[in-house]
Amino acid sequence: MSDCLFCKFVNGDIKPDTVYEDDDVLAFRDINPQAPTHILVIPKQHISTLNDLQPKDEAVIGKLYLAAKKVADQEGIADAGYRTVINCNEQAGQTVFHIHLHLLGGRTMAWPPG
Ligand code: AMP
Ligand code: ZN
């Protein structure tokens, strides 16, 4: 997707602050962090929203969570705890339409979320 910001991160047109990368997944620091650790984990494949997920994408979503776990460990927040969030569409606050998992940690999280 040529007009997608996160696809530009994947293809190297723009360089994010990358913390993890493998064949299928890229993870980088959020530009507007909402917690001491705020990382976005994205599939390299463009999928706009959770509503667009297909059965063939099953492995991709598994890989997002496996990468999130790895990054949480790398960031030193695994034992204290962290939150993972995927916002879908407007009412959830999705602003970038390439699926991304927010990995938030380094502080106590409130519940319910706002
Ligand atoms: P969402 O609101 O769930 O779609 O999340 C989009 C996230 O992308 C927000 O937390 C933004 O701060 C983050 N973001 C937007 N532009 C950039 C960028 N250039 N680099 C890193 N994070 C970004
Ligand atoms: Zn994209």
Side-chain angles (χ1 to χ4, degrees), residues 1-8 10 42-48 96-99:
M1 288 277 289
S2 56
D3 59 345
C4 169
L5 175 65
F6 289 175
C7 281
K8 290 186 174 126
V10 170
I42 69 169
K44 290 191 169 178
Q45 173 193 343
H46 180 90
I47 302 169
S48 299
V96 178
F97 288 84
H98 178 132
I99 281 185

Short mmCIF file of all heavy atoms in Angstrom, two decimals, residues 1-8 10 42-48 96-99, ligand 2:
data_model
loop_
_atom_site.label_atom_id
_atom_site.label_comp_id
_atom_site.label_asym_id
_atom_site.label_seq_id
_atom_site.Cartn_x
_atom_site.Cartn_y
_atom_site.Cartn_z
N MET A 1 0.87 -1.21 0.00
CA MET A 1 0.00 0.00 0.00
C MET A 1 0.90 1.24 0.00
O MET A 1 1.53 1.55 1.01
CB MET A 1 -0.88 0.00 1.25
CG MET A 1 -1.97 -1.03 1.22
SD MET A 1 -3.41 -0.48 0.33
CE MET A 1 -4.08 0.75 1.46
N SER A 2 0.94 1.97 -1.11
CA SER A 2 1.91 3.06 -1.25
C SER A 2 1.60 4.25 -0.34
O SER A 2 2.49 5.01 0.01
CB SER A 2 1.95 3.51 -2.70
OG SER A 2 0.66 3.88 -3.11
N ASP A 3 0.33 4.43 0.06
CA ASP A 3 0.00 5.59 0.88
C ASP A 3 -0.13 5.23 2.37
O ASP A 3 -0.65 6.02 3.16
CB ASP A 3 -1.30 6.24 0.39
CG ASP A 3 -2.46 5.27 0.42
OD1 ASP A 3 -2.21 4.05 0.56
OD2 ASP A 3 -3.61 5.72 0.33
N CYS A 4 0.37 4.07 2.75
CA CYS A 4 0.26 3.63 4.14
C CYS A 4 1.57 3.91 4.88
O CYS A 4 2.64 3.42 4.46
CB CYS A 4 -0.09 2.14 4.19
SG CYS A 4 0.04 1.43 5.84
N LEU A 5 1.50 4.67 5.98
CA LEU A 5 2.70 5.03 6.76
C LEU A 5 3.47 3.78 7.21
O LEU A 5 4.71 3.72 7.07
CB LEU A 5 2.28 5.86 7.98
CG LEU A 5 3.40 6.20 8.96
CD1 LEU A 5 4.44 7.12 8.31
CD2 LEU A 5 2.82 6.85 10.23
N PHE A 6 2.75 2.80 7.73
CA PHE A 6 3.46 1.64 8.29
C PHE A 6 4.05 0.76 7.18
O PHE A 6 5.08 0.11 7.39
CB PHE A 6 2.55 0.86 9.24
CG PHE A 6 2.28 1.59 10.55
CD1 PHE A 6 1.39 1.06 11.49
CD2 PHE A 6 2.91 2.79 10.86
CE1 PHE A 6 1.14 1.72 12.69
CE2 PHE A 6 2.67 3.46 12.06
CZ PHE A 6 1.77 2.92 12.97
N CYS A 7 3.43 0.74 5.99
CA CYS A 7 4.06 0.04 4.85
C CYS A 7 5.36 0.75 4.47
O CYS A 7 6.33 0.08 4.07
CB CYS A 7 3.12 -0.03 3.66
SG CYS A 7 1.85 -1.32 3.81
N LYS A 8 5.41 2.07 4.62
CA LYS A 8 6.65 2.81 4.34
C LYS A 8 7.74 2.43 5.34
O LYS A 8 8.92 2.42 5.00
CB LYS A 8 6.41 4.32 4.37
CG LYS A 8 5.57 4.78 3.19
CD LYS A 8 5.44 6.29 3.12
CE LYS A 8 4.74 6.66 1.83
NZ LYS A 8 3.56 7.51 2.01
N VAL A 10 7.93 -0.57 6.66
CA VAL A 10 8.30 -1.94 6.27
C VAL A 10 9.23 -1.93 5.06
O VAL A 10 10.24 -2.63 5.02
CB VAL A 10 7.03 -2.78 5.97
CG1 VAL A 10 7.40 -4.12 5.34
CG2 VAL A 10 6.21 -3.00 7.24
N ILE A 42 3.84 -4.62 14.24
CA ILE A 42 3.01 -4.70 13.03
C ILE A 42 3.41 -5.90 12.18
O ILE A 42 4.57 -6.31 12.16
CB ILE A 42 3.11 -3.39 12.17
CG1 ILE A 42 4.49 -3.24 11.54
CG2 ILE A 42 2.77 -2.17 13.01
CD1 ILE A 42 4.57 -2.14 10.47
N PRO A 43 2.42 -6.44 11.43
CA PRO A 43 2.78 -7.44 10.42
C PRO A 43 3.38 -6.71 9.22
O PRO A 43 2.96 -5.59 8.91
CB PRO A 43 1.44 -8.08 10.06
CG PRO A 43 0.42 -7.01 10.32
CD PRO A 43 0.97 -6.16 11.44
N LYS A 44 4.34 -7.31 8.55
CA LYS A 44 4.89 -6.68 7.34
C LYS A 44 3.86 -6.66 6.22
O LYS A 44 3.87 -5.77 5.38
CB LYS A 44 6.17 -7.40 6.91
CG LYS A 44 7.32 -7.13 7.89
CD LYS A 44 8.66 -7.60 7.39
CE LYS A 44 9.77 -7.05 8.29
NZ LYS A 44 11.11 -7.53 7.87
N GLN A 45 2.97 -7.62 6.27
CA GLN A 45 1.86 -7.67 5.31
C GLN A 45 0.84 -6.59 5.66
O GLN A 45 0.51 -6.40 6.84
CB GLN A 45 1.24 -9.07 5.45
CG GLN A 45 -0.02 -9.32 4.69
CD GLN A 45 -0.68 -10.61 5.17
OE1 GLN A 45 -0.06 -11.45 5.83
NE2 GLN A 45 -1.95 -10.76 4.87
N HIS A 46 0.34 -5.86 4.65
CA HIS A 46 -0.66 -4.83 4.93
C HIS A 46 -2.03 -5.46 5.17
O HIS A 46 -2.59 -6.10 4.29
CB HIS A 46 -0.77 -3.82 3.78
CG HIS A 46 -1.79 -2.76 4.05
ND1 HIS A 46 -1.48 -1.59 4.68
CD2 HIS A 46 -3.14 -2.73 3.85
CE1 HIS A 46 -2.57 -0.87 4.85
NE2 HIS A 46 -3.60 -1.54 4.35
N ILE A 47 -2.56 -5.24 6.37
CA ILE A 47 -3.95 -5.58 6.69
C ILE A 47 -4.49 -4.33 7.37
O ILE A 47 -3.88 -3.83 8.31
CB ILE A 47 -4.04 -6.79 7.66
CG1 ILE A 47 -3.34 -8.03 7.07
CG2 ILE A 47 -5.48 -7.11 8.01
CD1 ILE A 47 -3.14 -9.18 8.06
N SER A 48 -5.60 -3.77 6.88
CA SER A 48 -6.05 -2.46 7.36
C SER A 48 -6.57 -2.49 8.78
O SER A 48 -6.20 -1.65 9.61
CB SER A 48 -7.14 -1.91 6.43
OG SER A 48 -6.63 -1.74 5.14
N VAL A 96 -4.24 4.77 12.38
CA VAL A 96 -3.39 4.27 11.28
C VAL A 96 -3.98 2.93 10.84
O VAL A 96 -4.12 2.00 11.65
CB VAL A 96 -1.93 4.08 11.74
CG1 VAL A 96 -1.09 3.52 10.60
CG2 VAL A 96 -1.33 5.41 12.23
N PHE A 97 -4.33 2.87 9.55
CA PHE A 97 -5.09 1.72 9.07
C PHE A 97 -4.17 0.65 8.46
O PHE A 97 -4.31 0.29 7.28
CB PHE A 97 -6.24 2.20 8.17
CG PHE A 97 -7.30 2.85 9.01
CD1 PHE A 97 -7.18 4.20 9.38
CD2 PHE A 97 -8.35 2.12 9.54
CE1 PHE A 97 -8.12 4.79 10.23
CE2 PHE A 97 -9.28 2.70 10.39
CZ PHE A 97 -9.17 4.03 10.73
N HIS A 98 -3.26 0.21 9.29
CA HIS A 98 -2.42 -0.97 9.06
C HIS A 98 -2.34 -1.60 10.45
O HIS A 98 -1.82 -0.95 11.38
CB HIS A 98 -1.04 -0.53 8.54
CG HIS A 98 -0.05 -1.64 8.30
ND1 HIS A 98 0.69 -1.73 7.13
CD2 HIS A 98 0.36 -2.67 9.09
CE1 HIS A 98 1.51 -2.79 7.22
NE2 HIS A 98 1.32 -3.37 8.40
N ILE A 99 -2.88 -2.78 10.61
CA ILE A 99 -3.00 -3.41 11.94
C ILE A 99 -1.71 -3.25 12.75
O ILE A 99 -0.62 -3.46 12.22
CB ILE A 99 -3.33 -4.91 11.79
CG1 ILE A 99 -4.81 -5.09 11.48
CG2 ILE A 99 -2.97 -5.69 13.04
CD1 ILE A 99 -5.25 -6.54 11.43
ZN ZN B 2 0.25 -0.77 5.33
#
